[in-house]
Amino acid sequence: GGIIILNSSPKIEYCQIDSNFCHQGSGIYFKHSFAIIRNCSFSNNWFTEPINSQVLCPQWSEVKILSCRIDNNDCGAISSYGSTNTFQNNVITRNYFGGSFSHLDQVLNTKIIDNEGGIEMRGSSQIVNSIIAGNGSVNGGIGIMLYNSGTVTVNNCTISNNAGYGIYNRNSELILLNS
């Protein structure tokens, strides 16, 4: 992968993380860390198993991904597990899968568009002022999949032109406002 962050607190800005190969976190893998990633681009990263792999993989961390572009990767964009993360002002486009967010993640002012699959939310999370559109059929064409989540709030979002359902809710509490 591009970068591994273990038990540390880096700030990474204005970097291009391109053409890496790895099982998890081909762009950046985080574990037990506090990190800020700002104004970076992640592209052309790949895996042999794209559906189980991610460009950004925070695990048991607190990470802020701000104003980044995650584009044209042959894998999922993000997989968050056991973490509390903020994803703000990002563009996630033309990836195999938009992302899997969990626990107390916040997705704010982010465009998740034209991926092969949309996003999955697990745990209590928020999506605010975001666009989830034009995602393909990898996860059934669902824009947002809620699966055994806590409370997920979708506020002031545009969810359109996904290949299947706009939102699929299975065993979760959904608060849908102004969307």
Side-chain angles (χ1 to χ4, degrees):
I3 300 171
I4 296 175
I5 299 172
L6 303 173
N7 302 309
S8 59
S9 301
K11 186 180 208 180
I12 300 172
E13 297 181 309
Y14 301 99
C15 291
Q16 182 175 349
I17 294 128
D18 189 350
S19 302
N20 295 288
F21 173 82
C22 183
H23 174 67
Q24 287 184 322
S26 69
I28 303 177
Y29 175 82
F30 310 85
K31 192 165 187 180
H32 302 292
S33 296
F34 298 89
I36 296 174
I37 312 300
R38 180 179 285 130
N39 293 311
C40 293
S41 68
F42 301 85
S43 60
N44 302 311
N45 297 289
W46 58 282
F47 305 89
T48 57
E49 298 284 336
I51 198 159
N52 294 319
S53 307
Q54 315 77 25
V55 175
L56 297 169
C57 187
Q59 294 187 350
W60 299 284
S61 297
E62 186 173 327
V63 176
K64 293 183 180 182
I65 308 292
L66 309 170
S67 301
C68 292
R69 184 169 185 89
I70 305 166
D71 180 43
N72 199 38
N73 296 285
D74 190 21
C75 53
I78 297 166
S79 179
S80 168
Y81 181 79
S83 298
T84 301
N85 304 298
T86 300
F87 302 92
Q88 187 169 6
N89 298 322
N90 300 298
V91 175
I92 300 170
T93 186
R94 299 183 307 184
N95 300 290
Y96 185 76
F97 185 68
S100 178
F101 301 94
S102 69
H103 299 279
L104 299 173
D105 286 348
Q106 294 183 339
V107 179
L108 311 169
N109 303 312
T110 293
K111 293 179 182 176
I112 302 167
I113 53 175
D114 297 326
N115 297 286
E116 290 296 316
I119 62 172
E120 176 181 288
M121 305 298 285
R122 292 179 183 258
S124 295
S125 303
Q126 295 182 57
I127 308 172
V128 180
N129 296 325
S130 295
I131 298 171
I132 297 99
N135 295 293
S137 60
V138 165
N139 65 346
I142 297 166
I144 303 172
M145 177 186 287
L146 309 177
Y147 187 75
N148 294 332
S149 297
T151 300
V152 176
T153 302
V154 178
N155 189 1
N156 199 36
C157 292
T158 299
I159 304 159
S160 68
N161 298 318
N162 296 290
Y165 299 105
I167 299 175
Y168 175 83
N169 185 357
R170 181 175 178 188
N171 300 323
S172 303
E173 181 181 349
L174 172 63
I175 299 172
L176 185 62
L177 305 166
N178 302 314
S179 296

